[in-house]
Amino acid sequence: QVQVTESGGGLVQAGGSLRLSCAASGLSRINYRVAWFRQAPGKGREFVADINWNGYRKSYADSVRGRFILSKDRVPNTAHLQMNDLKGEDTAVYFCKFYGAGHEFWGQGTQVTVSF
């Protein structure tokens, strides 16, 4: 049984930073891509960032590029999203997805709230 767990969300003031983590257990391989999405109240789920299995290729949404950094941990199937200079529009539930070879596994999400 595959389980994906996000952590690190919380309340932060505008301009502050948070580090989200995402870990998957039960995966039979380690070469899954990892992506983060977010969903703000009343809006659809939107792409935030993506990293390939070895951490060498990354992509970011325009809205977060230069502020967010996605990285792979040395621990297999673990990734981190460093979020800096947070803004009110970053408030959302953040979801992590491990995917590859026709499979995808989502976490339950972690709330990030940025206050003014």
Side-chain angles (χ1 to χ4, degrees), residues 39-61:
Q39 188 165 15
K43 296 188 177 180
R45 193 169 294 190
E46 67 170 356
F47 169 78
V48 175
D50 176 90
I51 190 168
N52 76 324
W53 71 274
N54 60 11
Y56 289 155
R57 286 185 292 184
K58 309 175 188 180
S59 61
Y60 298 93

Side-chain angles (χ1 to χ4, degrees), residues 89-102:
E89 51 264 43
D90 295 318
T91 294
V93 177
Y94 283 71
F95 298 89
C96 174
K97 179 179 77 169
F98 279 74
Y99 67 105

Side-chain angles (χ1 to χ4, degrees), residues 67-81:
R67 299 188 297 122
F68 290 12
I69 302 171
L70 180 55
S71 62
K72 281 287 192 78
D73 196 287
R74 292 180 180 179
V75 176
N77 295 322
T78 303
H80 307 287
L81 183 66

